[in-house]
Amino acid sequence: MSMSDSDSSSYAGDYKSFKQISRERLLREMLRSAKTGDSKSTWKVLIMDKLTVKIMSHSCKMTDITDEGVSLVEDIYKRRQPLPTMDAIYFIQPTRENVNMFLSDMSGRTPLYRKAFVFFSSTISRELVMDIKKDTKVLPQLSALREMNLEYFPIDSQGFITNNERALEELFGDEENNHKGVTCLNVMAKRIATVFASLREFPTVRFRAAKSLDATTITTFRDLIPTKLAAGVWDCLMKYKKSIPSFPQTETCELLILDRSIDQIAPVIHEWTYDAMCHDLLNMEGNKYVHGVPGKSGGPAERKEVLLEEQDPVWLELRDTHIADANERLHEKLTNFISKNKAAQIQHGSKGSGELSTRDIQKMVEALPQYSEQIGRLSLHIEIAGKINSIIYESGLLELGQLEQDLVFGDATTKDVIKFLTMKEDITHENKLRLLMILASVYPENFEGEKGLNLMKVAKLTEEDMSVVHNLRLLGGQPVTKKSLTAAFGLMFDIHKKKRAARKERPDEEEQWELTRFYPIIEELIEKLTKNELSKEDYPCLNDPSPSYHGSPLFGSVNQNPHSMRSRRTPTWARPRGSEDGYSSDSVLRHASSDFRRVGQRIFVFIVGGATRSELRVCHKLTEKLKREIILGSSSIDDPVQFITKLKMITTHELSLDDIQI
């Protein structure tokens, strides 16, 4: 029996991506390590709780698990059949309830399993360890007792979440009763720290400081969210330095902790990339897309669920491209495929130069079974792109998208929004709300008192809708001061900064596609971080890095193609095409694995309160541009509808003069 953090062999040799390391730790360090002694050839039972099931499902497929000798997966809280001839692997949180369930399973006259290999998702308390060790009935059956320190959820090769879905409500809500917020931050800090435990990385920790701290400022819990989270992560890291073998003792990477207040526009503006539009317009559940496929032999259509994920090379190539570019690439791939396959030409011949329908593609699959996977992928993405194009046209999104971006860059005003809402009465309820949320971020003073009510009437929105707009102030308003509390109006946006643009133009780069002006704020922050230009006052460092940290040629900042900070981000819509098979990604898959070599240190950016698809795209793009793996973490990944729903759930207790000791 051993009581230690699992020591990975994946940190040596070829460079592995963040998600690869997470997967290998679960499969090799945990499941494969149970193949010891007399248990090498036996099938095992894997027992998990609700959280660890999610952790496992975000990193591994069921086939991966069975390949490691697991024949049955069980819920620790459900009644289970005794299997006294089989060994069990427990992957559970280190809670009192879970430990009690484990002890109950393995004690008594007839334990449920022959041997137990126990792996905890995070650090277990000394008290619980002693409870296990003093149980003399369980101890002989205990083959391993380890801390995996893996309690995060990879959503992408460069993204993870901590699964704090109610973070906005718990952290930005009631200031008078913030015990839920404290608990939320503690859980979040522990889960973020396990990322660094898994990767054997020790970061310099930077965070967004509270605004304008002076004698007249009332510092609220909301103002200190990044500060408190940074301190919590640091506390966990200090414990890891002492307890985990081979954990670095000097800095190896950078962590920047932000919250949703840094960018209130990114969660609601229409993002025009393929990935973002799929999740925004198609009512997907996570990465699951449901569509109908033609039935066999002319039967009725069949319902089919597919996952849009990185294992699909077409998705990997298209996800960060502009929707117009995605359409062109798909057409080009299908054309290339048909031109190189005679059987496909025969099937297509009757259609002339016209577009292929789903039924036509199904016939092509039947005629070319050896190409069914390639054609199936193309068919899927052609269908998805077609649906997106229809919604864009039917909903008038092009004109709306142009107005959104004009607002952000200061080329439109409240009058333009009122004119648009008056003339476009068929615009959807949700899109009206999203437009007003962008307007409120750029022109906050226009939502004071009667002005806000009048805008609500023009847009025909309800009071509940306007509460969402009002709650934006909790994500980015000025700190509440004693003076401001005496003001006559109720909505306290950042009225002192009457800015007319929420983004600076970046004109050094040409736009290849329409509606690509917008960029999330984190793009600017990451680029400044890599150039050591990020304000140390606004983004202080919790730990002073070692003298050799910035001087190392391996880990130093990589400043390639220096350009003005006002230059527009390098477009990534246009990429080399012409793949041989007409369907697979060109270099994207290889870039994501074997061809990617670590040049500079990793950069981790964590956003409290939910991240967006556009921010994940920025991390993909800057990883390639800066030659440094950039990993985005957040409490959740939110599409616009999810973000709006969470804002509605925020309830506040407004500060009054009675709350202040003067």
Side-chain angles (χ1 to χ4, degrees):
M1 181 187 74
S2 63
M3 176 60 207
S4 66
D5 180 90
S6 291
D7 195 7
S8 174
S9 60
S10 64
Y11 308 107
D14 289 342
Y15 175 76
K16 292 183 173 63
S17 72
F18 158 74
K19 192 170 184 180
Q20 284 175 311
I21 291 174
S22 305
R23 177 177 177 272
E24 289 185 9
R25 290 202 66 215
L26 290 168
L27 296 179
R28 296 183 181 180
E29 293 179 36
M30 188 173 75
L31 300 185
R32 193 171 299 178
S33 69
K35 296 180 179 180
T36 58
D38 61 352
S39 67
K40 283 184 179 179
S41 61
T42 59
W43 287 95
K44 293 179 177 60
V45 182
L46 176 60
I47 300 158
M48 297 181 283
D49 58 36
K50 287 184 178 180
L51 185 85
T52 53
V53 164
K54 286 185 179 180
I55 294 170
M56 183 68 78
S57 64
H58 274 78
S59 296
C60 308
K61 295 183 179 296
M62 194 62 202
T63 52
D64 297 328
I65 297 170
T66 54
D67 286 347
E68 296 299 335
V70 173
S71 61
L72 182 63
V73 177
E74 296 267 37
D75 183 337
I76 193 170
Y77 286 105
K78 290 185 178 178
R79 184 165 183 166
R80 284 162 277 130
Q81 177 186 358
L83 298 167
T85 62
M86 295 183 71
D87 294 341
I89 302 170
Y90 286 80
F91 180 37
I92 53 178
Q93 297 175 83
T95 64
R96 167 66 63 187
E97 294 79 11
N98 282 348
V99 169
N100 287 344
M101 289 296 294
F102 159 68
L103 294 175
S104 175
D105 288 350
M106 299 305 295
S107 60
R109 292 183 179 178
T110 54
L112 291 186
Y113 311 105
R114 189 176 71 123
K115 294 279 187 182
F117 298 80
V118 182
F119 299 87
F120 292 109
S121 57
S122 57
T123 305
I124 185 172
S125 69
R126 182 176 296 274
E127 179 187 0
L128 290 178
V129 172
M130 295 310 298
D131 286 349
I132 294 171
K133 288 189 172 183
K134 72 184 180 183
D135 193 320
T136 56
K137 294 182 179 179
V138 171
L139 212 55
Q141 280 80 43
L142 191 56
S143 295
L145 186 65
R146 298 178 186 170
E147 294 168 342
M148 283 298 291
N149 287 315
L150 200 163
E151 204 167 281
Y152 55 89
F153 308 80
I155 55 168
D156 182 272
S157 61
Q158 291 171 232
F160 71 93
I161 57 173
T162 56
N163 203 40
N164 298 101
E165 290 289 342
R166 302 186 71 171
L168 271 182
E169 177 188 359
E170 293 172 351
L171 296 172
F172 292 91
D174 196 344
E175 276 286 338
E176 194 177 59
N177 186 11
N178 57 34
H179 69 276
K180 286 185 179 179
V182 172
T183 301
C184 177
L185 285 179
N186 288 339
V187 171
M188 206 180 292
K190 178 184 68 173
R191 292 179 181 173
I192 294 169
T194 67
V195 173
F196 298 99
S198 271
L199 273 62
R200 295 298 193 274
E201 294 269 25
F202 178 47
T204 56
V205 181
R206 298 185 70 172
F207 58 93
R208 191 187 195 202
K211 297 180 183 178
S212 306
L213 295 180
D214 57 46
T216 66
T217 301
I218 301 168
T219 306
T220 66
F221 179 80
R222 300 180 198 116
D223 297 326
L224 296 172
I225 286 171
T227 308
K228 289 178 178 290
L229 182 59
V233 172
W234 181 252
D235 184 53
C236 293
L237 293 173
M238 290 299 97
K239 293 175 182 175
Y240 288 159
K241 284 184 75 173
K242 297 175 183 178
S243 63
I244 297 180
S246 74
F247 193 80
Q249 299 299 302
T250 56
E251 297 81 3
T252 61
C253 64
E254 296 179 86
L255 168 63
L256 177 62
I257 296 178
L258 312 166
D259 63 24
R260 195 60 270 167
S261 67
I262 55 131
D263 192 346
Q264 303 161 55
I265 296 173
V268 292
I269 195 169
H270 283 88
E271 165 82 358
W272 292 82
T273 54
Y274 188 57
D275 180 7
M277 300 213 90
C278 284
H279 287 88
D280 189 359
L281 304 182
L282 299 183
N283 297 318
M284 291 174 56
E285 182 182 336
N287 289 333
K288 187 189 299 181
Y289 174 73
V290 180
H291 67 130
V293 296
K296 296 178 180 179
S297 304
E302 299 173 359
R303 174 186 166 95
K304 185 177 181 181
E305 294 182 352
V306 293
L307 292 176
L308 302 181
E309 55 186 1
E310 291 170 318
Q311 282 77 9
D312 177 352
V314 179
W315 169 256
L316 192 62
E317 179 184 352
L318 298 181
R319 64 181 180 182
D320 293 335
T321 63
H322 189 282
I323 183 62
D325 190 24
N327 286 323
E328 286 192 7
R329 292 186 186 214
L330 286 169
H331 177 76
E332 197 171 300
K333 287 177 183 297
L334 185 60
T335 302
N336 286 344
F337 179 81
I338 291 172
S339 68
K340 294 176 182 178
N341 291 274
K342 290 185 178 180
Q345 293 171 23
I346 294 170
Q347 286 294 323
H348 188 239
S350 61
K351 302 294 292 185
S353 60
E355 294 294 326
L356 285 173
S357 67
T358 305
R359 173 62 71 178
D360 296 327
I361 294 175
Q362 178 68 17
K363 289 180 179 178
M364 196 179 292
V365 170
E366 293 170 358
L368 300 164
Q370 68 271 34
Y371 296 111
S372 62
E373 186 177 358
Q374 295 96 312
I375 301 172
R377 283 176 180 150
L378 271 179
S379 171
L380 170 67
H381 291 287
I382 288 170
E383 175 187 321
I384 290 173
K387 284 187 178 180
I388 291 173
N389 292 332
S390 296
I391 294 171
I392 290 172
Y393 176 77
E394 292 166 5
S395 302
L397 289 187
L398 287 173
E399 191 173 350
L400 173 62
Q402 188 64 59
L403 177 57
E404 289 176 346
Q405 300 211 12
D406 285 347
L407 274 174
V408 170
F409 285 91
D411 298 329
T413 66
T414 304
K415 288 183 179 179
D416 296 304
V417 173
I418 292 173
K419 181 180 178 181
F420 179 83
L421 292 172
T422 304
M423 295 180 64
K424 304 288 182 180
E425 293 187 356
D426 57 341
I427 186 173
T428 66
H429 187 89
E430 176 201 318
N431 284 337
K432 289 178 184 177
L433 179 56
R434 288 167 67 173
L435 181 60
L436 286 193
M437 291 171 75
I438 296 170
L439 180 66
S441 297
V442 183
Y443 292 90
E445 70 277 12
N446 288 345
F447 285 79
E448 299 168 17
E450 288 296 321
K451 294 180 182 179
L453 293 174
N454 290 335
L455 282 170
M456 180 179 75
K457 290 176 182 177
V458 171
K460 298 179 181 178
L461 296 179
T462 65
E463 289 187 13
E464 183 186 25
D465 295 325
M466 289 307 291
S467 72
V468 174
V469 181
H470 291 185
N471 282 344
L472 279 179
R473 73 181 179 86
L474 305 178
L475 305 184
Q478 281 284 90
V480 182
T481 63
K482 296 175 183 179
K483 182 177 179 181
S484 70
L485 286 169
T486 62
F489 49 84
L491 184 59
M492 300 292 298
F493 279 105
D494 186 359
I495 62 171
H496 303 293
K497 296 182 181 178
K498 294 195 175 184
K499 57 184 179 181
R500 294 299 181 268
R503 296 290 187 280
K504 294 178 181 179
E505 289 283 3
R506 308 176 83 176
D508 289 358
E509 301 286 346
E510 292 184 3
E511 285 183 37
Q512 185 157 358
W513 303 98
E514 290 184 4
L515 302 171
T516 59
R517 294 168 74 191
F518 179 79
Y519 58 93
I521 286 295
I522 69 162
E523 180 167 351
E524 196 171 281
L525 295 179
I526 293 170
E527 288 188 329
K528 285 184 177 180
L529 180 67
T530 61
K531 296 176 182 179
N532 203 25
E533 294 175 358
L534 198 60
S535 166
K536 290 180 171 61
E537 182 179 348
D538 296 332
Y539 298 92
C541 186
L542 205 59
N543 52 318
D544 291 327
S546 305
S548 61
Y549 176 69
H550 288 296
S552 166
L554 176 62
F555 296 116
S557 63
V558 180
N559 186 8
Q560 297 186 348
N561 303 321
H563 60 279
S564 165
M565 283 309 296
R566 290 179 57 84
S567 65
R568 179 169 299 140
R569 69 237 184 277
T570 305
T572 56
W573 316 129
R575 293 183 179 178
R577 317 225 184 121
S579 53
E580 288 302 313
D581 56 13
Y583 82 94
S584 64
S585 76
D586 308 302
S587 63
V588 187
L589 259 183
R590 294 191 299 274
H591 166 74
S593 54
S594 60
D595 276 6
F596 182 76
R597 291 292 181 267
R598 183 172 176 178
V599 177
Q601 63 186 199
R602 285 185 173 106
I603 297 174
F604 295 82
V605 180
F606 190 88
I607 303 174
V608 182
T612 69
R613 306 281 165 185
S614 60
E615 288 161 338
L616 194 55
R617 169 178 61 80
V618 162
C619 293
H620 296 154
K621 171 195 161 183
L622 292 182
T623 291
E624 186 172 353
K625 178 181 177 182
L626 302 172
K627 304 303 178 188
R628 297 175 65 175
E629 187 181 10
I630 298 167
I631 297 171
L632 177 67
S634 185
S635 46
S636 58
I637 182 92
D638 294 331
D639 303 319
V641 173
Q642 293 171 309
F643 180 71
I644 290 170
T645 300
K646 290 177 180 181
L647 273 183
K648 285 182 180 179
M649 295 173 68
I650 295 178
T651 57
T652 62
H653 168 76
E654 296 296 339
L655 284 172
S656 68
L657 291 175
D658 294 334
D659 298 317
I660 306 168
Q661 295 179 355
I662 300 176

